[in-house]
Amino acid sequence: MTRKTSTATIFNLLQLACLIATTSASIVSTGDFNRDFDITWSPDHVKTSPDGRTRSLKLDQESGSAFASKDMFLFGQIDMQIKLIPGYSAGTVLAFYLASDQPNRDEIDFEFLGNVTGQPYILQTNIYANGYDNREERIYLWFDPTKDFHTYSILWNLHQIVFMVDWVPIRLYRNHADKGVAYPRRQPMSLKASLWNGDSWATRGGHDKVDYSKGPFIVSFRNYKVDACVWKGNPRFCRGDSTTNWWNNPRLSSLNWYQRRLFKWVRKYHLIYDYCQDTNRFQNHLPKECSLPKY
């Protein structure tokens, strides 16, 4: 099968995935950034539309900026439409993530690493479990994320964590706690977004720096959905399989056949770094999850 044919087939499957993904949800978010999120860094660098439906973060010489959800969650799905910095964005980092903010923190990260003009953004994902990370993966996206809004999602349940871009699964992290692999399952997490200067490492290992003369650098957000178990202090209510906690349904314990096909397509054509393939970094002792099944 040619790459052209393969891509066409993949996006036919993607349309089916989008249809199914929108059929069952008990949404807990209001769609209003002012009601669901607090500005946590540099309020004068955060702009929200009068109706609260869109928000932007700005990075300049003075400061970056950030916001975070008012609630914390234990399992669920989050979706956010994001439009990234056009043109020169080297050294900038947009982080969109879940975090527990504990010393032994859990964290589920999207990190968008800027680049020089004409070079593609890199999407890095990472997972902290019980305070340990070093689980980075990187991909090139199959579209220009600066031209329009795209949907970035995290499905987090008792069985797996699935990172998705426009409903395409780009990364999986399976719950292998029974085999001694740490998995985020006990700590509630808040949803956060931050735009900041990461030019010590973000672009070509820190070679390309933020050029503030090309700023300000602005990232835009809209049409978010948080469909998750709001933390009320008792994990039992979030771990059960119920109509409300649809994400814990056994049918979501693994990818279905068309999601697996999409996932394999991403791994074949767009993956540029996988910690599970980096034997030099781990001195031929890869983390245990690297030898365990993803689904």
Side-chain angles (χ1 to χ4, degrees):
M1 181 180 292
T2 66
R3 181 170 179 175
K4 182 176 180 181
T5 303
S6 176
T7 301
T9 303
I10 288 298
F11 281 96
N12 287 334
L13 293 170
L14 174 56
Q15 291 178 345
L16 177 60
C18 289
L19 177 63
I20 293 176
T22 58
T23 58
S24 60
S26 52
I27 302 168
V28 299
S29 52
T30 67
D32 184 339
F33 281 95
N34 291 320
R35 292 182 62 183
D36 292 335
F37 294 91
D38 291 323
I39 297 171
T40 55
W41 182 22
S42 193
D44 61 345
H45 283 54
V46 181
K47 183 178 180 180
T48 309
S49 63
D51 63 2
R53 299 291 167 175
T54 62
R55 174 166 285 181
S56 65
L57 296 179
K58 181 171 73 172
L59 168 67
D60 60 17
Q61 284 178 299
E62 294 180 1
S63 181
S65 48
F67 59 84
S69 62
K70 297 176 185 290
D71 289 318
M72 300 189 80
F73 313 99
L74 185 63
F75 305 123
Q77 181 167 312
I78 61 168
D79 311 307
M80 181 75 77
Q81 289 191 349
I82 303 173
K83 184 178 181 182
L84 297 173
I85 301 163
Y88 188 98
S89 59
T92 67
V93 178
L94 183 278
F96 173 59
Y97 61 110
L98 289 161
S100 67
D101 295 329
Q102 299 298 317
N104 60 329
R105 75 182 186 273
D106 290 341
E107 198 168 295
I108 305 171
D109 300 344
F110 278 110
E111 292 176 313
F112 301 87
L113 311 182
N115 216 329
V116 298
T117 303
Q119 295 299 313
Y121 254 91
I122 290 174
L123 173 52
Q124 175 171 287
T125 56
N126 197 4
I127 293 172
Y128 285 74
N130 199 30
Y132 294 96
D133 64 332
N134 293 329
R135 298 183 176 95
E136 300 92 345
E137 291 187 7
R138 291 183 174 189
I139 67 167
Y140 286 134
L141 295 164
W142 50 94
F143 53 84
D144 183 345
T146 73
K147 296 293 187 183
D148 203 351
F149 287 88
H150 292 268
T151 303
Y152 303 91
S153 306
I154 296 170
L155 171 65
W156 170 36
N157 62 29
L158 287 166
H159 314 286
Q160 61 178 348
I161 296 166
V162 185
F163 294 81
M164 293 175 281
V165 177
D166 290 337
W167 309 114
V168 175
I170 65 162
R171 181 177 182 177
L172 309 176
Y173 185 79
R174 190 146 194 83
N175 185 351
H176 288 299
D178 60 337
K179 297 178 177 65
V181 177
Y183 184 83
R185 57 191 172 126
R186 292 191 174 94
Q187 300 182 49
M189 295 194 266
S190 56
L191 175 59
K192 303 184 179 189
S194 60
L195 178 60
W196 43 283
N197 181 336
D199 67 9
S200 64
W201 64 275
T203 308
R204 291 205 298 157
H207 182 271
D208 296 311
K209 303 298 186 181
V210 172
D211 182 352
Y212 287 110
S213 70
K214 294 180 168 59
F217 304 103
I218 295 173
V219 174
S220 300
F221 305 80
R222 72 179 188 188
N223 293 346
Y224 69 89
K225 183 171 71 175
V226 179
D227 193 358
C229 185
V230 178
W231 178 251
K232 300 295 185 182
N234 189 338
R236 180 171 59 88
F237 295 112
C238 297
R239 291 177 179 158
D241 173 19
S242 66
T243 303
T244 303
N245 295 352
W246 59 266
W247 46 84
N248 285 332
N249 190 292
R251 71 181 180 84
L252 296 173
S253 64
S254 185
L255 299 187
N256 57 40
W257 69 269
Y258 55 85
Q259 289 175 319
R260 293 183 189 189
R261 192 166 180 181
L262 290 165
F263 176 69
K264 291 176 181 177
W265 173 75
V266 172
R267 307 292 286 186
K268 181 175 182 179
Y269 293 113
H270 300 283
L271 182 70
I272 57 173
Y273 177 79
D274 179 357
Y275 75 107
C276 280
Q277 298 174 5
D278 196 342
T279 54
N280 289 334
R281 176 183 181 184
F282 295 101
Q283 298 180 338
N284 292 316
H285 297 287
L286 293 172
K288 189 173 184 178
E289 66 267 19
C290 296
S291 62
L292 297 172
K294 293 184 181 295
Y295 43 72

